[in-house]
Amino acid sequence: MSIVVSLVGATGAVGAQFLKILEQRKFPMRKLRLYATKRSAGSKIRFRGEDLTVEDTDPAKAFLGADIVFVSATTAASADYCPAAARVGAVAIDDSSAFRLDPKVPLVVPEINANDLQWHKGIVSTPNCTTVPLAMVLHALRQASPIRRVVVDTYQAVSGTGSAAVRELTDQTRAALAGGKIEKSVYPHQIAFNLIPQVDTFREDGYTKEEWKMQEETRRILGLSGLLFSATCVRVPVYQAHSMAVHIDFERPVEPKQARVLLSEMPGVKLVDNPEKSLYPLPIQAADTDDVLVGRIRKDTSNPTGLVLWLSADNLRKGAALNAVQIAEELVRRNLLGKR
Ligand SMILES: NC(=O)c1ccc[n+]([C@@H]2O[C@H](COP(=O)([O-])OP(=O)(O)OC[C@H]3O[C@@H](n4cnc5c(N)ncnc54)[C@H](OP(=O)(O)O)[C@@H]3O)[C@@H](O)[C@H]2O)c1
């Protein structure tokens, strides 16, 4: 167990999950070093019974001697830190969108394309928190028939925007219930008791960047550059776990029964599909768990080759920290760490 790990963004919403997951999965490392900004430097975080001190991230020092650097801060920070980590022989596993569409950087969901880790050059990207669960479900179902088209509507939790958004939902909910003034800083509108059909900024084609990222990343991971795709991403007043209504058009008809078998065989996916007993995926069930929950599987009555389903998955875990730790586990298992 000689592995040294640096975690950048240790004080963030995803950072907190990294710490839990590394502990829960007994990740085989000798040392964990924690980094954030000056704001949190000096604060202590308990890990495996020890108080670790968070340091300001100085890229000239933070990555020296590290085998793995988890970067979970901001896209701008990733653009600087990941190449810096790779230069000193570490493998950077990046949670941001900085390298997800870079053809020189593998974009990996281990259950789908772990073999892409073989050609990494010191940086590996983990996909957007909406892309991961969707790609897993599509990957399981394409064993029944090639997929032609996907239409997806998301219901995304506020933790997807980080810890400031989590506080904003709590503060606005309290203020609204007390009849007080609603303050906004993270979102352009009140999120408490509301829905916002905008995740990230708008592009010229009328889609948001989140919707576009979901399309491009899904195509890349599945190796389906021509996949027809349309998404509407909506922020909802839920703390943790994103949900989605997914409409899939196949080349050949796929029966719900066959879909249930394929999904139940897919690692990391769990069926919750007994509508008569009101059993279907809920974000509060998916929060703090590892599996992508899938249910409401039914034929699309508007399309003979279509299926419709509903899923919920934890955006901070499988959508971010868990997927990154699984990538690290694969790198260790396949002996693919850098030679520092
Ligand atoms: N939230 C999700 O569901 C999700 C899912 C997939 C991917 N991601 C990605 O994961 C990353 C972290 O997201 P988050 O939700 O955890 O955000 P967050 O709650 O706002 O936390 C950000 C973390 O990054 C640190 N940080 C910010 N700028 C930094 C810099 N220049 N150098 C070093 N550390 C810096 C912050 O430190 P301080 O505490 O000192 O400010 C904090 O620890 C982002 O790239 C995000 O796009 C998030």
Side-chain angles (χ1 to χ4, degrees), residues 127-295:
N128 186 284
C129 43
T130 50
T131 307
V132 176
L134 178 66
M136 286 172 69
V137 164
L138 297 179
H139 181 66
L141 295 178
R142 70 173 162 174
Q143 318 305 322
S145 159
I147 295 170
R148 278 199 295 230
R149 176 169 180 238
V150 176
V151 177
V152 55
D153 301 318
T154 70
Y155 302 68
Q156 297 183 220
V158 293
S159 56
T161 324
S163 43
V166 172
R167 288 191 295 276
E168 183 150 306
L169 173 58
T170 304
D171 293 347
Q172 288 185 354
T173 305
R174 286 203 177 110
L177 290 173
K181 184 168 184 294
I182 304 282
E183 307 281 354
K184 307 188 293 275
S185 63
V186 176
Y187 298 119
H189 302 282
Q190 172 181 333
I191 183 65
F193 306 103
N194 201 11
L195 305 170
I196 304 176
Q198 175 185 357
V199 178
D200 209 330
T201 53
F202 282 97
R203 291 161 39 89
E204 275 189 1
D205 61 6
Y207 283 85
T208 61
K209 276 194 190 154
E210 181 86 349
E211 292 158 356
W212 177 79
K213 280 188 278 187
M214 208 177 170
Q215 165 184 293
E216 294 304 307
E217 294 176 21
T218 303
R219 286 175 172 167
R220 187 167 181 223
I221 295 162
L222 297 178
L224 297 175
S225 55
L227 179 68
L228 298 172
F229 198 98
S230 178
T232 301
C233 292
V234 181
R235 189 71 65 191
V236 298
V238 163
Y239 281 112
Q240 200 170 329
H242 293 345
S243 302
M244 288 166 222
V246 190
H247 296 245
I248 308 162
D249 181 32
F250 296 90
E251 279 181 16
R252 298 184 295 274
V254 176
E255 290 304 313
K257 201 171 154 193
Q258 188 185 7
R260 284 190 196 98
V261 171
L262 289 170
L263 288 164
S264 59
E265 287 169 353
M266 174 79 189
V269 170
K270 187 173 166 195
L271 271 186
V272 184
D273 198 15
N274 193 344
E276 277 178 20
K277 296 199 165 152
S278 298
L279 289 177
Y280 29 69
L282 297 172
I284 51 170
Q285 282 168 347
D288 274 321
T289 69
D290 290 349
D291 289 329
V292 176
L293 308 182
V294 187

